[in-house]
Amino acid sequence: MKHKTVFILISFLSLVAQSQNLNDYKLWLKYNKIENHDLSQAYSKTTNAVYIANIGDIIKNAKRELSLALPQMLGTQVTYESSITSETTLIIDVFNNLPEDLKLAVKKNIENINKEGFIIQSISRNNTPLTIITSKEEIGLLYGTFRFLREMQMHENISAKTIVDSPKIQLRMLNHWDNLDRSVERGYAGFSLWNWQKLPEYIDQRYIDYARANASIGINATVLTNVNANALVLTPMYLEKVEALANVFRSYGIQVYLTARFSAPIEIGNLETADPLDKNVQEWWSNKAAEIYKRIPDFGGFLVKANSEGQPGPQNYGRNHVDGANMMATALKPFGGNVIWRAFVYSEHDDTDRAKQAYDEFLPYDGSFKDNVIVQVKNGPIDFQPREPFHPMFGAYKKTPLAIEFQITQEYLGFSTHLVFLPKLFEEILDIDTYQKGTGSTIAKIIDGSLYGNKLTTMAGVTNIGTDLNWTGHPFAQANWYGFGRLAWDPNLNSGQIADEWIRTTYTNDKAFVEPIKKMMLTSREAVVNYMNPLGLHHIFDTGHHYGPGPWVDDLGRPDWNPVYYHNADKNGIGFDRTTSGSNALEQYAPFLEKAYSNTNTIPEEYLLWFHHLPWDYKLNNGEILWDGIALKYQEGVDQVDDMIKTWEAAKPFLNEEQFNEVHMLLQIQLKEAKWWRDACLLYFQTFSNLPLPKGVEKPAHSLEYYQSLKFPFAPGIKPSWN
Amino acid sequence: MKHKTVFILISFLSLVAQSQNLNDYKLWLKYNKIENHDLSQAYSKTTNAVYIANIGDIIKNAKRELSLALPQMLGTQVTYESSITSETTLIIDVFNNLPEDLKLAVKKNIENINKEGFIIQSISRNNTPLTIITSKEEIGLLYGTFRFLREMQMHENISAKTIVDSPKIQLRMLNHWDNLDRSVERGYAGFSLWNWQKLPEYIDQRYIDYARANASIGINATVLTNVNANALVLTPMYLEKVEALANVFRSYGIQVYLTARFSAPIEIGNLETADPLDKNVQEWWSNKAAEIYKRIPDFGGFLVKANSEGQPGPQNYGRNHVDGANMMATALKPFGGNVIWRAFVYSEHDDTDRAKQAYDEFLPYDGSFKDNVIVQVKNGPIDFQPREPFHPMFGAYKKTPLAIEFQITQEYLGFSTHLVFLPKLFEEILDIDTYQKGTGSTIAKIIDGSLYGNKLTTMAGVTNIGTDLNWTGHPFAQANWYGFGRLAWDPNLNSGQIADEWIRTTYTNDKAFVEPIKKMMLTSREAVVNYMNPLGLHHIFDTGHHYGPGPWVDDLGRPDWNPVYYHNADKNGIGFDRTTSGSNALEQYAPFLEKAYSNTNTIPEEYLLWFHHLPWDYKLNNGEILWDGIALKYQEGVDQVDDMIKTWEAAKPFLNEEQFNEVHMLLQIQLKEAKWWRDACLLYFQTFSNLPLPKGVEKPAHSLEYYQSLKFPFAPGIKPSWN
């Protein structure tokens, strides 16, 4: 009576769905099966018989990675040879160990790499194709192997090209703002990876996978602890644990650094002072260095935040930053360690524009630091805003090497719920011309040492990594870790290329997916600027946690913690006057820029309100009045997020259900919060402008009082005790 | 000149190794491929054509689980039929929907299950084998499906047996001690699963997998928040998030509860009092209940810790526990909600033996609570020690239903680094005869309601679940979550059977692995008693964090927080006299036990020093003097951990490298800490006994002063602010 209907449910989707969060864990090292038969065959030929040198622990990890990756990508096991034979198809060894004929083949290229660089070159040997991965030192082989695997992941024709690559910056460094209680200051991806309780005995697989991921992009240094430091990490109980981590990371070419609390000699050393000119203090640090290097012979050194935001420092004893940094540098010098001294300082006793203070304080010290001191400067003069002009220290410091500090974690850019592709921001800064040594004095050239010939070069990124299964909270925030590493390797890389690499290794090589998603990523940074801080507005975030808008906040202990300090909105207009009629922060830049930025006709409009206080009816380049322009920028940001959602929805055919859903859910939050920013800020600024919202800007959903009433006592990223 | 050697590296091991931590994530739901061909064939036949009813969201999840599990175990996709046909091999539907002939076939069994129970029965229909999973209600089908899959995971001959099973306890409940800042009180597996920041929009896959794991063992209720409660969770901002979680959990048969801070009407309700007899307060709670049920129609109710360890409660207003609980019960009653009121109380103003106080305070209230109130009592009268006698409330409370509260998280049992199989402890308690209604008045019968006929039955477990990739920190701690759920389903289950199930679903069915590992698990609980608290010693843990030994601690604010209060060691002996000559806590037990325990000749020796203060030369049953007996027990505990390591090492052939290593590293920590316990406690107690260590006990590695000097400011499980 009824016809039989049989449904065949394809359970593949639900199968993948259940394990998508596990798949996210693998980052850009997914090593997806290569479905193209010809390509798979070609790669199989290249990797058919592998000779890999037996040098040390680092090369063992290169071998381990091959053994993990190749079977997944090609469906075959790896055959290793114990010596180079006529059948060898892939050789991985340092240049000095190569047979003479192969040395000859790569000789020209070997001269073009540095000690961490590598060559991937395919030749014909006895009429047999042979691929060589070689380098000057062992670490280059690991980097070369990762690069070789990435080429395969990206379906590149490896044997048709020669890759000669070296890092352009020496210290490619992550800064973890991780506390010993495993909370992470400004962390939005769970908690600290470092399980101090179970260390040193228990080596979590996460430590290894963290090292793999870093090595795959060339990161070679990590600071384990928060710059707001706890001296306990320098006690034997913790050093034993740090040593265990260093033992893991060493075999991936990663050096460990710690943050050193300046008052440690008092807190854990039973001294009565931490005065850097005190003999006992100097001796204490020297002994501490010796104690650390006994455990960790390749220990990197100390990162120090001193006399900043309540941290102790040399000024507590009437000394200066040079005294403090050099004292530590002297202690570390015999062991080859570095001091990285942060220039992020501003004082509550100084009513100078906060944006000027670090430059004013540090400029006189240029050249006074010992040669193992690096001064670390945030990319902008305030604090990791969605957009800032560059920090005037860059270019101005000519003798003492500067490290640039980027923030990979999105303290001011939507935590881990907003999709923002940060390499676009990093690239913008690196490409800026400071004009400090004539045209072409870009920040990239300052950081890589080529402009002033600095011997120590460093790029640091405050990480976005935590215990979340996908490491970074937002799947797309993995791209920011990836991109930071790539730019630290080569600050001249293009953010589009980085996005391309990341998408293809993380999702798929299909152009119909790659192209629109790349476009979405590249737009995303401008979107967050538009819906949070357009036209040079800055630091109008809610108090403490920096979650959401708080332009109205005016009751914090220090003027320069209050948003009203930064936007200066009143009946007459809005913006921070940093020209000669104001704080004159512009004097800290090279004359060419000082002049260009001082003039509202020549300043790039994205910096307008950073440097100028302008009336509400000021005419923008496009003819809109300032008020309308601000409002329309906020709206544009919201519209851009709307477009991102449409892009993601169009990409659905390339995604399994959970891959699609996880980002889709996050984009909905981003849209909600973009509207919140638009509505809260415009309602508040409207109380000064007294002008209607221009056409095209949506009506706010709530009243200003509603937005002002919102409280987030448990927003992540701040210590519970700060609440 | 040299012969060619080619190594074939089997990269399987390293492949698995890399993803072992991901595999741990899957818990006991690994659904490993069934390698036995005949078995796989048989299962494939049984699951060849599946008819699964289309009833609601719960059955959809049963279907989802089948679609996830069967392809992994059998390598085939599942074929679902839209109606029952002559070719159907597996039917999953409620009894009322079954065709009449099938109803007849299962009729006898359906009478033996309750509304959450299920039947798995294989019959022959038209000479074709047919397996039926049926139940009275939808939830039974989900439980039946999980059971069906477990039978397959355990390689059981499903079609040869009929399984008729129902939960014996109504509320099978997890208690999360999770704070809103995601710290977890007494949590040792990372941080809280609940990502409040991203809720309600972002549904983490973890929530779903958490629900799957719970449903697979029958857990049907979860309290999301810490008993040391924060009223904010009852505000709309958080209730919206709770609602999102409830929406996920509902489709797995899990009800959500919250902890209710008694002073919430003041803190978030703008009232001036929280007096339970105040009309405004009563109205506030009624409105709050209505508000919650509007969002979450199946909300479970409130768990309340009141007037205990600083928490506010009715006594703040001169009222009592009945006043407080009944006020909340009245608010919840119209919606079918329950109040679970904790009896864990002891007062700093009461110098009665702490072990007696809860009984003294609560006994008079038996029967005075409203019928939707459950009083929740910890398994022992002190606080989740490695071994305690049962709480005297069990059996004494005859009218008001009691929930038993077990602690799955190992606050006093080695955090997440010690392998301790807790179902052995739970079983010991559940099997104890209280004699309160004659012989056979076991705690299991009290909890399942059969002894006193209580209508509400509850077993609660303080979870050990966190954000660690493997959920529980220690891979074997997964067995404690599993085992708690199984015992909550049926408190008469044997811990050996539970271990058997867990090992086979988690590792392998190979007997050569299962049997020794089972033995190791079943011994592990006695080991921790031996090396921490032998012969009835208790609460000699270090302060606050309870990590490691602190028998010398005597400086805490309240006498009953100090270890010296509990061991009473002096020149004359050791132990807490709870007989008539002491605190007379024994009067709270049934006369038979009171008599037996009062007499050192008849008390089980494992409770000896819990109830008696005895001289150091007191003769134990085996002829040893007490001092020697204590020392030898500590040594025995250490030796047992040594044996556990040997067992694990012998099991290596069944494990991949990382599976082996992760537990091996943890066992090394356990051994180190077992020795620490032995050495620290014996050195300290020796200052009173003045006797030498007996033969066979190893010499301590350090001095007593050394052990007393150890500090752990960042030991996990306590709020940073408590440090």
Side-chain angles (χ1 to χ4, degrees):
Chain A
M1 93 224 167
K2 57 183 167 182
H3 64 280
K4 198 182 91 179
T5 327
V6 177
F7 291 100
I8 307 281
L9 181 106
I10 302 305
S11 71
F12 173 76
L13 266 188
S14 70
L15 182 69
V16 175
Q18 189 266 346
S19 53
Q20 180 53 37
N21 53 352
L22 300 185
N23 212 33
D24 284 346
Y25 176 88
K26 297 177 188 168
L27 297 161
W28 49 87
L29 302 174
K30 290 204 175 60
Y31 302 131
N32 291 328
K33 189 162 166 48
I34 290 163
E35 304 288 353
N36 180 318
H37 180 73
D38 293 348
L39 197 61
S40 181
Q41 282 289 100
Y43 288 158
S44 292
K45 267 191 194 161
T46 304
T47 58
N48 183 47
V50 180
Y51 169 76
I52 185 162
N54 186 4
I55 300 171
D57 288 342
I58 292 177
I59 192 86
K60 280 203 189 89
N61 282 328
K63 186 171 176 179
R64 190 165 174 271
E65 199 69 22
L66 280 177
S67 302
L68 172 78
L70 295 180
Q72 290 184 63
M73 287 196 279
L74 307 176
T76 53
Q77 298 304 318
V78 188
T79 305
Y80 293 104
E81 297 182 318
S82 62
S83 63
I84 298 172
T85 71
S86 59
E87 283 157 42
T88 306
T89 59
L90 176 62
I91 292 176
I92 304 177
D93 202 348
V94 290
F95 178 76
N96 282 341
N97 287 351
L98 293 180
E100 290 307 319
D101 62 326
L102 299 185
K103 273 188 182 163
L104 215 62
V106 301
K107 195 168 187 318
K108 201 189 65 184
N109 292 324
I110 204 78
E111 288 160 11
N112 290 321
I113 63 170
N114 61 30
K115 67 191 174 104
E116 291 181 291
F118 60 85
I119 300 162
I120 304 175
Q121 187 173 338
S122 294
I123 62 166
S124 177
R125 191 196 200 198
N126 306 329
N127 292 321
T128 313
L130 173 67
T131 300
I132 305 163
I133 302 177
T134 191
S135 64
K136 290 182 172 160
E137 298 192 1
E138 189 184 3
I139 184 65
L141 300 179
L142 181 65
Y143 291 149
T145 300
F146 273 114
R147 176 61 175 274
F148 177 79
L149 291 171
R150 183 162 75 224
E151 295 289 319
M152 286 175 66
Q153 287 183 285
M154 293 174 68
H155 298 188
E156 296 290 326
N157 188 347
I158 308 169
S159 50
K161 58 179 169 182
T162 298
I163 300 170
V164 182
D165 202 6
S166 296
K168 305 297 177 290
I169 291 172
Q170 286 165 291
L171 290 177
R172 307 175 294 280
M173 175 179 279
L174 293 183
N175 288 189
H176 288 267
W177 286 356
D178 291 15
N179 300 312
L180 298 183
D181 64 5
R182 296 188 74 181
S183 64
V184 179
E185 190 165 334
R186 312 308 177 186
Y188 313 102
F191 294 81
S192 173
L193 293 183
W194 324 132
N195 189 335
W196 299 111
Q197 174 71 12
K198 287 183 178 167
L199 283 166
E201 290 89 352
Y202 186 77
I203 301 301
D204 196 311
Q205 178 67 25
R206 277 231 160 182
Y207 306 149
I208 297 166
D209 292 331
Y210 164 86
R212 288 176 53 234
N214 281 327
S216 77
I217 48 177
I219 286 170
N220 67 351
T222 182
V223 187
L224 301 179
T225 45
N226 192 353
V227 289
N228 293 320
N230 189 313
L232 281 179
V233 80
L234 301 177
T235 60
M237 174 179 160
Y238 278 94
L239 288 177
E240 188 186 7
K241 299 167 191 284
V242 172
E243 179 186 352
L245 288 173
N247 289 341
V248 173
F249 298 159
R250 183 177 300 115
S251 64
Y252 284 94
I254 298 165
Q255 268 189 307
V256 162
Y257 283 68
L258 291 174
T259 48
R261 187 162 160 91
F262 201 81
S263 50
I266 300 170
E267 290 157 6
I268 60 168
N270 285 318
L271 299 188
E272 282 176 12
T273 178
D275 182 349
L277 300 193
D278 182 285
K279 281 269 182 311
N280 292 324
V281 171
Q282 293 168 355
E283 191 182 34
W284 188 87
W285 282 107
S286 289
N287 290 339
K288 184 53 72 181
E291 179 190 349
I292 295 173
Y293 277 91
K294 198 173 168 191
R295 292 180 178 277
I296 310 167
D298 62 341
F299 180 69
F302 296 135
L303 171 64
V304 187
K305 174 178 181 178
N307 292 123
S308 170
E309 298 183 322
Q311 292 298 305
Q315 293 172 357
N316 299 33
Y317 307 96
R319 317 301 180 185
N320 64 31
H321 288 290
V322 175
D323 298 327
N326 285 352
M327 180 268 295
M328 286 195 185
T330 303
L332 292 167
K333 184 71 181 175
F335 311 100
N338 299 319
V339 171
I340 304 176
W341 195 268
R342 288 173 98 237
F344 178 66
V345 296
Y346 59 103
S347 170
E348 63 206 286
H349 307 300
D350 186 348
D351 59 3
T352 312
D353 175 5
R354 171 171 158 186
K356 293 183 71 175
Q357 294 186 35
Y359 176 98
D360 284 350
E361 187 166 348
F362 271 81
L363 198 70
Y365 303 142
D366 186 21
S368 306
F369 293 99
K370 292 201 175 278
D371 66 0
N372 58 333
V373 175
I374 300 154
V375 173
Q376 183 163 303
V377 181
K378 292 186 181 184
N379 60 273
I382 294 293
D383 193 13
F384 299 135
Q385 300 301 293
R387 170 170 279 128
E388 294 191 48
F390 70 93
H391 199 298
M393 291 271 285
F394 293 111
Y397 245 50
K398 297 181 167 65
K399 298 170 197 152
T400 295
L402 294 189
I404 193 164
E405 178 177 317
F406 286 121
Q407 194 179 43
I408 313 172
T409 187
Q410 295 170 234
E411 175 180 357
Y412 296 99
L413 290 100
F415 290 10
S416 61
T417 33
H418 292 212
L419 192 165
V420 181
F421 183 60
L422 293 176
K424 189 80 180 160
L425 184 163
F426 305 155
E427 176 186 47
E428 174 178 298
I429 294 291
L430 292 167
D431 288 352
I432 284 178
D433 195 338
T434 67
Y435 293 93
Q436 290 282 16
K437 200 181 164 189
T439 305
S441 303
T442 64
I443 293 186
K445 284 187 189 166
I446 291 160
I447 295 308
D448 72 14
S450 58
L451 191 69
Y452 294 126
N454 304 121
K455 290 210 177 99
L456 276 174
T457 57
T458 311
M459 190 186 291
V462 181
T463 79
N464 60 350
I465 304 170
T467 52
D468 273 6
L469 249 160
N470 68 10
W471 301 85
T472 55
H474 198 305
F476 274 74
Q478 296 181 351
N480 295 334
W481 178 8
Y482 180 85
F484 168 79
R486 295 289 289 133
L487 284 166
W489 179 276
D490 184 351
N492 302 308
L493 283 179
N494 173 280
S495 62
Q497 180 193 329
I498 294 170
D500 190 76
E501 290 174 8
W502 180 80
I503 297 168
R504 289 161 71 185
T505 51
T506 303
Y507 287 100
T508 171
N509 282 285
D510 196 314
K511 276 198 176 169
F513 180 85
V514 175
E515 292 307 320
I517 299 303
K518 194 194 306 182
K519 189 162 163 255
M520 172 180 83
M521 289 169 74
L522 294 174
T523 310
S524 62
R525 189 282 185 118
E526 205 58 33
V528 73
V529 171
N530 287 336
Y531 64 71
M532 285 186 180
N533 288 188
L535 292 170
L537 287 173
H538 54 288
H539 219 312
I540 54 175
F541 293 79
D542 201 1
T543 302
H545 48 63
H546 300 153
Y547 174 58
W552 46 77
V553 176
D554 60 1
D555 60 350
L556 300 182
R558 299 171 53 153
D560 51 8
W561 279 354
N562 284 300
V564 295
Y565 173 91
Y566 295 100
H567 65 66
N568 286 295
D570 57 22
K571 275 183 201 166
N572 303 318
I574 185 169
F576 200 127
D577 184 358
R578 291 188 167 111
T579 67
T580 46
S581 58
S583 76
N584 201 18
L586 272 169
E587 70 178 345
Q588 298 179 335
Y589 292 90
F592 175 85
L593 288 184
E594 186 185 356
K595 194 174 161 202
Y597 288 6
S598 291
N599 185 334
T600 55
N601 292 319
T602 51
I603 188 171
E605 231 163 36
E606 63 257 36
Y607 301 141
L608 192 63
L609 302 177
W610 187 283
F611 290 111
H612 296 273
H613 186 81
L614 296 169
W616 294 107
D617 60 356
Y618 168 84
K619 276 270 167 62
L620 294 167
N621 292 337
N622 62 5
E624 290 162 2
I625 60 164
L626 179 59
W627 164 252
D628 288 355
I630 291 173
L632 288 163
K633 278 287 177 193
Y634 273 108
Q635 181 65 46
E636 185 182 348
V638 170
D639 293 344
Q640 284 167 314
V641 179
D642 245 338
D643 283 345
M644 288 162 68
I645 294 175
K646 289 195 187 93
T647 301
W648 192 247
E649 286 172 349
K652 198 170 178 177
F654 297 94
L655 300 162
N656 67 48
E657 197 182 338
E658 201 192 328
Q659 276 181 320
F660 175 77
N661 283 342
E662 60 180 357
V663 174
H664 199 250
M665 289 185 284
L666 291 165
L667 284 168
Q668 297 300 335
I669 298 176
Q670 187 170 1
L671 181 63
K672 184 182 78 169
E673 295 184 358
K675 290 179 176 175
W676 169 30
W677 269 96
R678 177 197 63 196
D679 295 351
C681 291
L682 291 180
L683 281 170
Y684 170 71
F685 291 134
Q686 199 173 32
T687 64
F688 302 105
S689 79
N690 285 310
L691 291 166
L693 290 177
K695 205 179 146 190
V697 178
E698 289 170 56
K699 289 245 173 323
H702 301 277
S703 68
L704 177 58
E705 292 67 35
Y706 167 80
Y707 296 114
Q708 290 176 326
S709 77
L710 297 176
K711 292 279 169 285
F712 306 94
F714 296 104
I718 49 174
K719 286 196 191 184
S721 59
W722 297 14
N723 284 319
Chain B
M1 87 215 167
K2 57 185 171 185
H3 62 280
K4 199 182 94 182
T5 325
V6 177
F7 292 98
I8 308 281
L9 182 107
I10 302 304
S11 73
F12 173 74
L13 268 187
S14 70
L15 182 68
V16 175
Q18 191 266 345
S19 53
Q20 179 54 36
N21 55 350
L22 300 184
N23 211 32
D24 283 347
Y25 175 88
K26 297 177 186 169
L27 296 163
W28 48 88
L29 303 174
K30 291 204 174 59
Y31 303 131
N32 291 327
K33 187 161 168 52
I34 291 165
E35 304 289 352
N36 180 317
H37 181 73
D38 292 351
L39 197 63
S40 181
Q41 282 289 99
Y43 289 158
S44 292
K45 267 191 193 162
T46 304
T47 58
N48 183 47
V50 181
Y51 170 77
I52 186 161
N54 186 4
I55 301 171
D57 289 341
I58 291 177
I59 192 86
K60 279 201 190 91
N61 282 327
K63 187 170 174 179
R64 190 165 174 273
E65 199 70 22
L66 280 177
S67 302
L68 172 76
L70 295 180
Q72 290 185 63
M73 286 197 279
L74 308 176
T76 54
Q77 298 304 317
V78 188
T79 306
Y80 294 105
E81 298 183 316
S82 63
S83 63
I84 299 173
T85 71
S86 59
E87 283 156 42
T88 305
T89 60
L90 176 63
I91 292 176
I92 304 177
D93 203 348
V94 290
F95 179 79
N96 281 342
N97 286 352
L98 292 179
E100 288 307 318
D101 60 327
L102 299 184
K103 273 190 182 162
L104 215 60
V106 301
K107 192 169 191 316
K108 202 187 66 184
N109 291 325
I110 205 79
E111 287 161 10
N112 290 320
I113 62 171
N114 62 31
K115 67 192 174 102
E116 290 180 292
F118 61 84
I119 300 162
I120 304 175
Q121 187 173 337
S122 294
I123 62 166
S124 176
R125 193 197 198 196
N126 306 327
N127 290 321
T128 312
L130 173 66
T131 300
I132 305 162
I133 303 178
T134 190
S135 64
K136 289 181 173 161
E137 300 192 359
E138 189 184 4
I139 184 63
L141 300 179
L142 180 64
Y143 291 148
T145 300
F146 272 114
R147 177 62 174 272
F148 177 78
L149 291 171
R150 183 161 76 226
E151 295 288 320
M152 286 176 65
Q153 288 184 282
M154 294 174 66
H155 298 188
E156 297 289 326
N157 188 345
I158 311 169
S159 52
K161 58 180 174 183
T162 299
I163 299 169
V164 183
D165 201 5
S166 295
K168 307 295 178 289
I169 292 172
Q170 287 165 291
L171 289 177
R172 306 174 295 280
M173 175 179 279
L174 292 183
N175 287 188
H176 288 268
W177 285 358
D178 291 15
N179 300 312
L180 298 182
D181 64 5
R182 297 189 73 182
S183 63
V184 179
E185 191 166 334
R186 310 311 177 185
Y188 312 102
F191 293 81
S192 172
L193 293 184
W194 324 132
N195 189 336
W196 298 112
Q197 175 70 15
K198 287 183 178 166
L199 283 166
E201 289 91 351
Y202 186 77
I203 301 301
D204 195 311
Q205 178 66 25
R206 276 235 160 178
Y207 307 148
I208 297 166
D209 292 330
Y210 164 86
R212 289 175 51 235
N214 281 327
S216 77
I217 48 176
I219 287 170
N220 67 352
T222 184
V223 187
L224 300 179
T225 45
N226 192 352
V227 288
N228 293 319
N230 189 314
L232 280 179
V233 79
L234 301 177
T235 61
M237 174 181 161
Y238 279 94
L239 288 176
E240 188 185 9
K241 299 167 192 283
V242 172
E243 178 185 352
L245 288 174
N247 288 341
V248 173
F249 298 159
R250 183 178 299 115
S251 63
Y252 284 94
I254 299 166
Q255 267 189 307
V256 162
Y257 283 70
L258 292 174
T259 48
R261 186 162 161 92
F262 201 80
S263 50
I266 301 170
E267 291 157 5
I268 60 168
N270 285 320
L271 299 188
E272 283 175 11
T273 177
D275 182 348
L277 300 194
D278 182 285
K279 280 268 180 321
N280 292 325
V281 171
Q282 293 167 357
E283 191 182 33
W284 187 87
W285 282 107
S286 289
N287 290 340
K288 185 52 70 179
E291 179 190 350
I292 295 173
Y293 278 92
K294 196 171 171 192
R295 291 182 179 275
I296 310 167
D298 61 342
F299 180 70
F302 296 137
L303 170 64
V304 187
K305 176 177 180 178
N307 293 123
S308 171
E309 300 184 320
Q311 292 298 305
Q315 292 171 358
N316 299 31
Y317 308 95
R319 317 301 179 186
N320 64 30
H321 289 290
V322 175
D323 298 327
N326 285 352
M327 180 270 293
M328 286 195 186
T330 302
L332 292 167
K333 184 72 181 175
F335 311 100
N338 299 317
V339 172
I340 305 178
W341 195 268
R342 288 174 97 236
F344 179 66
V345 296
Y346 59 103
S347 168
E348 62 206 285
H349 308 299
D350 186 347
D351 59 2
T352 312
D353 174 6
R354 171 172 157 186
K356 294 182 70 173
Q357 294 185 35
Y359 176 100
D360 283 351
E361 187 166 346
F362 271 81
L363 198 70
Y365 303 143
D366 185 22
S368 304
F369 293 100
K370 293 204 175 276
D371 66 1
N372 57 334
V373 175
I374 301 156
V375 173
Q376 183 163 305
V377 182
K378 292 187 181 183
N379 60 272
I382 295 293
D383 194 13
F384 297 136
Q385 300 300 292
R387 172 169 278 129
E388 293 190 50
F390 69 92
H391 199 298
M393 291 270 286
F394 294 111
Y397 245 51
K398 296 179 168 66
K399 296 170 199 151
T400 296
L402 294 190
I404 193 165
E405 178 178 316
F406 286 120
Q407 195 180 41
I408 312 172
T409 187
Q410 295 170 232
E411 176 181 355
Y412 297 100
L413 290 100
F415 289 11
S416 61
T417 33
H418 293 212
L419 192 165
V420 181
F421 183 60
L422 292 176
K424 189 80 180 163
L425 183 164
F426 305 154
E427 176 186 46
E428 175 178 297
I429 294 290
L430 291 166
D431 288 353
I432 284 177
D433 194 338
T434 67
Y435 293 94
Q436 290 282 17
K437 199 181 165 188
T439 306
S441 303
T442 65
I443 293 185
K445 284 188 190 166
I446 292 159
I447 295 307
D448 73 13
S450 58
L451 191 70
Y452 294 126
N454 304 120
K455 291 212 176 101
L456 275 174
T457 59
T458 310
M459 189 185 292
V462 181
T463 78
N464 60 349
I465 304 169
T467 51
D468 274 5
L469 248 160
N470 69 8
W471 301 85
T472 56
H474 198 304
F476 274 75
Q478 296 182 350
N480 296 333
W481 178 8
Y482 181 85
F484 169 78
R486 295 289 288 133
L487 282 166
W489 179 276
D490 184 351
N492 301 308
L493 283 179
N494 172 281
S495 60
Q497 181 192 328
I498 294 169
D500 190 76
E501 290 174 8
W502 180 79
I503 298 168
R504 289 162 71 185
T505 51
T506 303
Y507 287 99
T508 171
N509 281 286
D510 195 316
K511 277 200 174 166
F513 179 85
V514 174
E515 292 308 318
I517 298 303
K518 194 196 302 182
K519 191 164 160 253
M520 173 180 83
M521 291 169 74
L522 294 174
T523 310
S524 62
R525 188 282 184 120
E526 204 60 32
V528 73
V529 171
N530 288 335
Y531 66 68
M532 285 186 181
N533 290 187
L535 293 169
L537 287 173
H538 54 287
H539 220 311
I540 54 175
F541 293 79
D542 199 2
T543 302
H545 49 62
H546 300 153
Y547 174 57
W552 47 75
V553 176
D554 60 1
D555 59 351
L556 302 182
R558 299 171 54 155
D560 50 9
W561 280 353
N562 285 299
V564 296
Y565 172 91
Y566 294 99
H567 64 67
N568 286 294
D570 58 21
K571 278 184 199 164
N572 303 316
I574 185 170
F576 200 126
D577 184 359
R578 291 187 167 114
T579 67
T580 48
S581 58
S583 78
N584 202 18
L586 273 169
E587 71 178 344
Q588 296 180 337
Y589 291 90
F592 176 85
L593 287 183
E594 184 184 358
K595 197 175 158 199
Y597 287 7
S598 291
N599 185 334
T600 56
N601 292 318
T602 50
I603 187 172
E605 232 163 33
E606 64 257 34
Y607 299 142
L608 194 64
L609 302 177
W610 187 285
F611 289 113
H612 297 273
H613 186 81
L614 296 170
W616 294 108
D617 61 354
Y618 168 84
K619 278 272 167 57
L620 294 168
N621 292 338
N622 62 4
E624 290 162 1
I625 62 164
L626 180 58
W627 165 250
D628 289 355
I630 290 173
L632 288 163
K633 277 285 178 195
Y634 273 108
Q635 181 64 46
E636 186 182 345
V638 171
D639 294 343
Q640 284 168 316
V641 178
D642 246 337
D643 284 345
M644 288 162 68
I645 293 175
K646 288 195 187 92
T647 300
W648 192 247
E649 286 172 350
K652 198 170 178 179
F654 297 95
L655 300 162
N656 67 47
E657 197 183 336
E658 200 192 332
Q659 276 182 320
F660 174 78
N661 282 343
E662 61 180 357
V663 173
H664 198 251
M665 289 185 283
L666 292 166
L667 284 169
Q668 297 299 337
I669 299 176
Q670 187 170 0
L671 181 64
K672 183 182 80 168
E673 295 186 357
K675 289 178 176 177
W676 169 30
W677 269 95
R678 177 197 62 195
D679 294 351
C681 290
L682 291 180
L683 281 171
Y684 170 73
F685 290 136
Q686 200 173 32
T687 65
F688 301 106
S689 78
N690 285 309
L691 290 167
L693 291 177
K695 209 181 141 187
V697 178
E698 290 171 54
K699 291 245 173 319
H702 301 277
S703 68
L704 177 58
E705 291 66 35
Y706 168 80
Y707 295 113
Q708 289 176 327
S709 76
L710 297 176
K711 293 281 170 283
F712 305 95
F714 295 106
I718 49 175
K719 286 196 191 183
S721 59
W722 297 15
N723 284 318

